Amino acid sequence: MLETLAARAEDAGLNAAAPREQRWIDGWLVRYSPGKAKRARCINAVADGRLPLDERLALAAAVYRDAGLPMFVRITPFTRPAALDAELAARGWARIDDTRVMVAPELDPAWRTDAAAAAPEGFTWNILDSAAFAATVGALRASPMEQREAHAKRLAGAPVPHTALALLREVDGAVLACGQVAVEAGFAGLYDVFTVPEARGQGHAARLCRRLLGLAMGQGATVGYLQVEADNTPARTIYGRLGFADAFAYHYRQAPEA
């Protein structure tokens, strides 16, 4: 069952992160959005293809060169051909960003209750549209303006609906945490969950995730998924308490010239 959920979570993740800037190259889904998220500006090798590897790499390199972006290949258990990771390593491509996809096979119905939806005393929830969310999380991360604009553009054109929330402090309107959820075919994906450093350790991230997943359940979601850095122990602990467990690992290979 977990293997099937992992494969479906991979499909859902690819759809949720789809930018306008993408094209197919001989079985490779080549994405080149200038935003922060690597999943929207990397190669996903989803089919074996017919061309020699070096020829495919050259064709993809031209896309990234024209876009002014470094070149990355995302390596998952679903990557094809299966030997691609080893082939890139032999060509000097560095391995970076060890990541885990975590899946919650059953979302908790309690997260849909009024009690779970209520903000804690002194705080309030604020629903954000795609532009407002990209601006908010970009400001919290101190992302360059180009990345914020690319994020907003990607969300506005996303083929999968996203719902974004921010937790505000009522006394001054300060955003303490924000995040969004994408829902497709019963799968709810948590994205861009961020808590400001001075507000961490106070339960805001868990509260935000429960609220987002509760909203997703109202849209028919029954399974949750997310992507998190392998060494982000605090976040992985929070997600584990919410019922998420590792489904599979992935990493990127970075072109030598990058």
Side-chain angles (χ1 to χ4, degrees):
M1 177 182 177
L2 185 58
E3 184 176 351
T4 299
L5 290 179
R8 290 194 61 196
E10 172 68 358
D11 289 347
L14 287 174
N15 290 337
R20 298 177 184 178
E21 302 89 347
Q22 64 178 28
R23 67 182 71 174
W24 285 98
I25 296 180
D26 192 40
W28 285 1
L29 180 57
V30 178
R31 293 178 163 175
Y32 49 99
S33 168
K36 179 181 185 296
K38 281 193 183 69
R39 59 183 177 271
R41 52 182 178 93
C42 70
I43 295 168
N44 287 278
V46 298
D48 287 318
R50 300 172 180 82
L51 297 175
L53 176 57
D54 287 335
E55 186 172 346
R56 271 191 286 180
L57 288 173
L59 290 171
V63 173
Y64 289 102
R65 185 169 55 250
D66 291 345
L69 294 172
M71 185 172 169
F72 302 96
V73 176
R74 183 169 172 265
I75 302 294
T76 78
F78 312 104
T79 294
R80 294 294 178 269
L84 180 59
D85 192 36
E87 293 276 4
L88 295 176
R91 286 166 170 78
W93 287 55
R95 175 174 174 150
I96 62 170
D97 293 358
D98 190 18
T99 306
R100 297 292 181 270
V101 173
M102 303 180 73
V103 171
E106 297 181 10
L107 300 179
D108 190 340
W111 297 339
R112 292 194 64 185
T113 64
D114 291 341
E121 185 177 354
F123 299 87
T124 185
W125 296 116
N126 189 25
I127 296 179
L128 304 174
D129 62 23
S130 57
F133 178 75
T136 297
V137 73
L140 295 178
R141 290 170 169 166
S143 300
M145 189 57 64
E146 180 186 24
Q147 292 187 357
R148 302 184 203 185
E149 293 172 351
H151 193 185
K153 179 180 176 183
R154 176 165 62 84
L155 292 177
V160 177
H162 289 65
T163 301
L165 281 178
L167 181 65
L168 277 60
R169 190 165 51 205
E170 290 181 341
V171 66
D172 57 4
V175 175
L176 298 186
C178 65
Q180 59 179 340
V181 64
V183 180
E184 179 190 19
F187 275 64
L190 291 173
Y191 287 92
D192 299 305
V193 175
F194 188 89
T195 304
V196 298
E198 61 271 22
R200 291 173 184 169
Q202 301 174 31
H204 296 317
R207 188 176 291 110
L208 173 67
C209 290
R210 288 194 296 267
R211 178 61 176 141
L212 287 169
L213 292 170
L215 291 173
M217 293 174 72
Q219 300 174 48
T222 58
V223 177
Y225 73 92
L226 57 88
Q227 303 167 53
V228 60
E229 294 86 351
D231 60 358
N232 189 346
T233 301
R236 286 168 55 77
T237 299
I238 291 170
Y239 297 139
R241 291 171 180 165
L242 293 173
F244 287 83
D246 289 353
F248 64 91
Y250 74 83
H251 60 273
Y252 294 90
R253 286 288 177 180
Q254 178 177 325
E257 61 271 18

